Amino acid sequence: MQLLKHKSIQIVIVAVLLCFFASCKKSFLDTTPTTPSDATIWASYQNANLFINGIYSDIPTDFLLFGYDPFDNWTDNQFPTFNWPTSLASVAPRNYNTTNSPADSWWGTGYAEIRKCNIVLQNTPNIPDATDDQKNQMIAQAKFFRAYWYSWLVNFFGGVPIIQVPLDKSSGDTLDYPRSSYADCVTFMQQDLTDAANALPDEWPDNDKGRVTKGAALALKSEIELYASKWQDCVNSCNAIFALNKYSLADYSTMFIPAGEVNNEVIFDVDFDGKTKAHSAEVFLSPRVDPASGIAAGWGHVQPTQELVDEYEFTDGKPGNDASHAKDPYTGRDKRFYESILYNGSDWRGGKVWTYYDPTINVYANNFDINFSHQGSQTGYYFHKYLDPTLTPSETNYYGKPINGTNAVLFRLGEIYLNFAEAQNELSGPTGDVYQKIDLLRERGGIPDLPASLSQDDMRTRIRNERRVELAFEGKRYFDIMRWKIGPQVLNTTLQGMEITGTPGNWNYQRVPAYNGKRVFQDPRDYLFPIPSSALDRNPKLTQNPGW
């Protein structure tokens, strides 16, 4: 992303805008406008664009991917080393209520962001020096982000109030909106994204690279439609992306690190350069100890589970937990496994990552940790996918000093292939187009094509497996679990790790319950989070979700 980084006059204006953004973090039902005057923002196209840039800056990349507790930690894919992050302290045991839910902040944040979008929609038509095309593209960006933030709200809470104007407590207008149905919310988001796609360019000029495009609007639309089981609509949106003839599969081994992040697969990402804009994935997500230097390197806050590892097939087509590979489980796997996960004996940053169990270790180490004695891996695995192998992290030197420049990929063609395949299979079973899209991803992973003549149910299972592997650690798994209604199967259990004993060349492998691996899920209550009690107290027209 390169959004207007070079003009010094913007610094003063941004400072004014930040004051406004801070004022918007209240509930959408308790907001008095404190925007700068129209003369400051809406009197010029340049200044209005800065307001839009502020909306881009709020994309939650730390929560999704790079922070100390990324979103997939809420799932059966992974969990953090320490037990104080939200994913372990609150989501795993489901010990929250209507006053302290992990999703509470999303209610306020979501509506604050939606309010910003509504402000853009209200004011853009009156910008005096903007052309009609410029106005239409600003409106399109605001509609994209309004749908984006509504999608978070709807996925967490179900149907929510649809607000299309900036609420003003002093205007005398009602601030109490009832919840719209889930279906109505989906229709509303679809329309916003249709409008956005119709106005946005396929590609922006160089000085505006990083803004949402037609492809991004269609990608978000396809995801919303997939989640809502609007199969034909999802297929249509995916086909519209394919018809752009703009995207193609990239090299999976470099797509998620700076060396290869400029490619034709990414549809929309957030740019980091490691200097003026960086994140802390190297500290939060690297193995606990750097294998070459032996220094405390990272927190290891993404520990892939054995359940995820078992989803990566072998190159002979056998499943990841096949008994014939039990004595050598890390040889001949799907290429995506090696680019996503560090395992016992992995080459990494000039050394090897060892995660075998050694009962004599009682200081910082990567080795398997059965009782949190040395802050090692509780599953026998560490994260790889978004880490830059050219960096040498140091907890001492870089904590609080971000150095990672890996971009945050929000949408890419591989996901669109999966969206299409799932929706088309639900519509008409495993057609040739379904096979083609899945086999393209499998071929990139170096594993055999799917067997012919699969039933619709068998293809559904294969697509879900493929989605979990292809999109591992990309923040997609939680909502997949929710929409597939598999919470009791995968989140009401104890997640597993791999305990390895022996010596190199003579390892013994045993799947064991992971320390901190216990999960709780109450069906059907936990498919949605509770509406925050603070919102219910302010708005008598809101109703609570079932079970809360």
Side-chain angles (χ1 to χ4, degrees), residues 16 39 60 97 103 108 168 244 267 282 318 339 351 387 390 403 429 433:
V16 176
N97 55 46
D168 181 352
L244 295 175
I267 297 173
E282 298 306 320
K318 292 181 179 178
E339 304 304 333
L387 297 181
T390 68
I403 59 169
D433 283 345

Side-chain angles (χ1 to χ4, degrees), residues 407-420:
N407 289 354
V409 178
L410 273 67
F411 297 107
R412 59 184 179 88
L413 183 63
E415 179 183 357
I416 306 306
Y417 281 177
L418 290 161
N419 292 356
F420 174 89

